[in-house]
Amino acid sequence: MKRVVVIGGGLAGLVASVQLAKAGISCALVEKKVYPFHRVCGEYISNEAVPFLKANDLFPEPFNPPRITRFTLSSATGKSSTMPLDLGGFGISRYTYDNFLYEKAKQLGVEFFLSEEVEATTFEGEKFHVRTPARSLEADVVIGSFGKRSRMDHMLQRAFIRERSPYVGVKYHIRTQHPDDLIALHNFKGGYCGMSNIEDGKTTLCYLTHRDHLKRFKNIRDMEEQVMFLNPLLKEIFTHAEFLFERPEVINEVSFLTKSCVEDHVLMVGDSAGMIAPLCGNGMAMAIHGAKMVSERIIQFNRGEVSREAMEKLYTQQWNENFKGRLWSGRQIQKLFGSYWASNLAVNLALYIRPVANTIMRNTHGEPF
């Protein structure tokens, strides 16, 4: 029987650990924080993930997540268009959903080491040795689920980590008059802001901006007022909403560069394998799908049906088939956002050439799995 260590307790790592535990595989997960906690995330899950979640008792039904069926796009000047979402999705906070999955994993026997960060991972003689300040763990397989940017990326000397990224992500939970069935994307100079409802009548407001904006102003709030308020729709929201966090969640150097889904035999999932532009709204669904794929390949390896080399090759092929094109499309679509002329062009395309807008949405969504 193989043993698996998951580094990072994000969405993909938690789902993978659940699936492995169900298959009777010994699994441990190392996470530097303690559940529940907030993450910078748009907190929208495309319905492509729903069949898998319901089939595996992982759909967050107890929290009555809002069903999202419409999409509003506004330019940096406030011009907007609303259209139906062909596939749609639902909203759930990472604070609630990650903790929900954590409890599921614990019940299935997954061993958790919380408040611990991995210091080193080595692979020798078909075994991994994973070291934290408190312990050393041995494993046959290691899954990397450590998010957008991590100490682990530096340790593995991954190519993307050597290039600076200009993007900063900021998230709030607010109370405001935002319809349950709507996801909105509001442009402003140098960035864009997504909004959708989650559990308990709350709304997630999450935006991506250029770090130069933060350098120019004394603090985040001044930047918001001087830059984001130039979109009148955003000014209205920020002026009248009730902000529920004492301070926003922030992450620096968000990178959309190409990553490898296998590094030094570590199988990467979620944002560790590749991050889709947040405006495409599918990062959470892709993390869940990736967790499904990686756990299936590990189960094959555990049964002796494939070698390590074949497991890594099959996972890479499957990951590329499902996500490589979507990530490329997301990077191209992102070029339409964050400026006055380009965001106005995007809104005009959505208003007057609806087939183009529908094609864009299809290219960044997957089939139900």
Side-chain angles (χ1 to χ4, degrees):
M1 179 64 67
K2 306 296 185 186
R3 177 167 170 79
V4 178
V5 170
V6 182
I7 303 175
L11 190 57
L14 288 165
V15 171
S17 70
V18 166
Q19 296 304 102
L20 294 170
K22 283 181 179 178
I25 296 173
S26 172
C27 188
L29 190 152
V30 182
E31 165 56 49
K32 63 183 179 181
K33 295 186 179 181
V34 176
Y35 299 99
F37 58 91
H38 293 287
R39 295 180 185 270
V40 176
C41 178
E43 303 186 325
Y44 163 88
I45 302 181
S46 163
N47 281 339
E48 64 196 81
V50 169
F52 169 78
L53 295 177
K54 289 191 172 181
N56 290 277
D57 193 30
L58 298 177
F59 188 82
E61 198 71 57
F63 305 101
N64 192 27
R67 270 53 170 186
I68 297 167
T69 59
R70 295 185 299 139
F71 171 59
T72 286
L73 173 67
S74 81
S75 71
T77 60
K79 186 176 185 179
S80 67
S81 172
T82 300
M83 64 196 81
L85 279 172
D86 288 345
L87 192 58
F90 64 94
I92 184 82
S93 73
R94 294 295 300 275
Y95 185 91
T96 294
Y97 193 42
D98 286 19
N99 193 61
F100 172 76
L101 294 172
Y102 163 64
E103 294 294 342
K104 293 272 186 184
K106 275 203 307 183
Q107 290 168 14
L108 289 164
V110 176
E111 189 176 14
F112 281 87
F113 300 106
L114 304 180
S115 294
E116 294 191 28
E117 189 169 8
V118 172
E119 291 183 326
T121 300
T122 57
F123 179 74
E124 187 176 0
E126 289 298 303
K127 292 287 184 180
F128 286 94
H129 297 275
V130 180
R131 193 178 76 244
T132 77
R135 71 195 77 248
S136 180
L137 303 171
E138 187 176 88
D140 300 283
V141 179
V142 168
I143 296 175
S145 176
F146 34 78
K148 301 172 180 65
R149 195 174 186 89
S150 165
R151 181 178 180 178
M152 279 294 299
D153 293 311
H154 289 281
M155 283 191 285
L156 291 168
Q157 298 182 342
R158 304 182 77 188
F160 84 91
I161 206 75
R162 294 193 288 269
E163 296 189 40
R164 300 292 303 274
S165 171
Y167 297 110
V168 177
V170 179
K171 187 189 85 170
Y172 297 98
H173 283 171
I174 63 175
R175 293 196 185 276
T176 188
Q177 298 299 312
H178 185 85
D180 265 357
D181 68 339
L182 183 71
I183 186 168
L185 183 70
H186 300 298
N187 278 271
F188 57 91
K189 187 177 180 181
Y192 44 85
C193 174
M195 291 180 62
S196 56
N197 284 3
I198 53 173
E199 72 279 0
D200 299 330
K202 295 179 288 188
T203 300
T204 295
L205 186 154
C206 190
Y207 66 82
L208 196 74
T209 189
H210 200 285
R211 65 167 176 257
D212 288 350
H213 284 326
L214 295 180
K215 290 179 180 177
R216 284 177 55 205
F217 301 98
K218 294 179 181 178
N219 52 52
I220 287 177
R221 186 60 180 179
D222 284 350
M223 184 278 295
E224 290 166 349
E225 291 181 358
Q226 296 298 318
V227 177
M228 298 175 68
F229 282 22
L230 296 177
N231 181 330
L233 298 179
L234 284 173
K235 182 178 181 179
E236 175 74 13
I237 293 160
F238 271 84
T239 302
H240 295 99
E242 176 190 0
F243 283 75
L244 304 178
F245 291 169
E246 184 176 331
R247 61 180 62 86
E249 293 290 316
V250 179
I251 184 169
N252 292 302
E253 297 207 41
V254 180
S255 174
F256 305 107
L257 295 175
T258 301
K259 302 176 183 179
S260 170
C261 56
V262 180
E263 294 271 8
D264 274 355
H265 303 290
V266 177
L267 306 177
M268 303 295 179
V269 287
D271 288 339
S272 297
M275 184 176 171
I276 195 165
L279 59 92
C280 299
N282 281 297
M284 290 177 74
M286 288 173 61
I288 294 165
H289 195 177
K292 173 181 181 290
M293 294 190 302
V294 81
S295 56
E296 288 170 347
R297 300 290 77 78
I298 293 171
I299 290 167
Q300 285 183 309
F301 179 57
N302 179 65
R303 292 172 179 163
E305 297 170 0
V306 297
S307 65
R308 182 183 303 278
E309 182 182 5
M311 172 182 67
E312 294 174 3
K313 184 177 179 181
L314 287 168
Y315 175 57
T316 299
Q317 288 175 343
Q318 193 176 10
W319 197 94
N320 286 334
E321 287 169 4
N322 282 275
F323 303 137
K324 190 174 182 180
R326 291 169 66 178
L327 293 175
W328 182 88
S329 295
R331 287 193 292 270
Q332 308 319 304
I333 294 164
Q334 184 161 338
K335 296 173 185 176
L336 288 172
F337 297 86
S339 74
Y340 285 104
W341 72 268
S343 60
N344 271 309
L345 171 62
V347 172
N348 285 330
L349 286 172
L351 278 169
Y352 304 118
I353 314 178
R354 192 54 57 86
V356 173
N358 291 337
T359 299
I360 288 172
M361 283 191 281
R362 281 195 300 271
N363 285 344
T364 56
H365 286 65
E367 297 296 323
F369 58 89

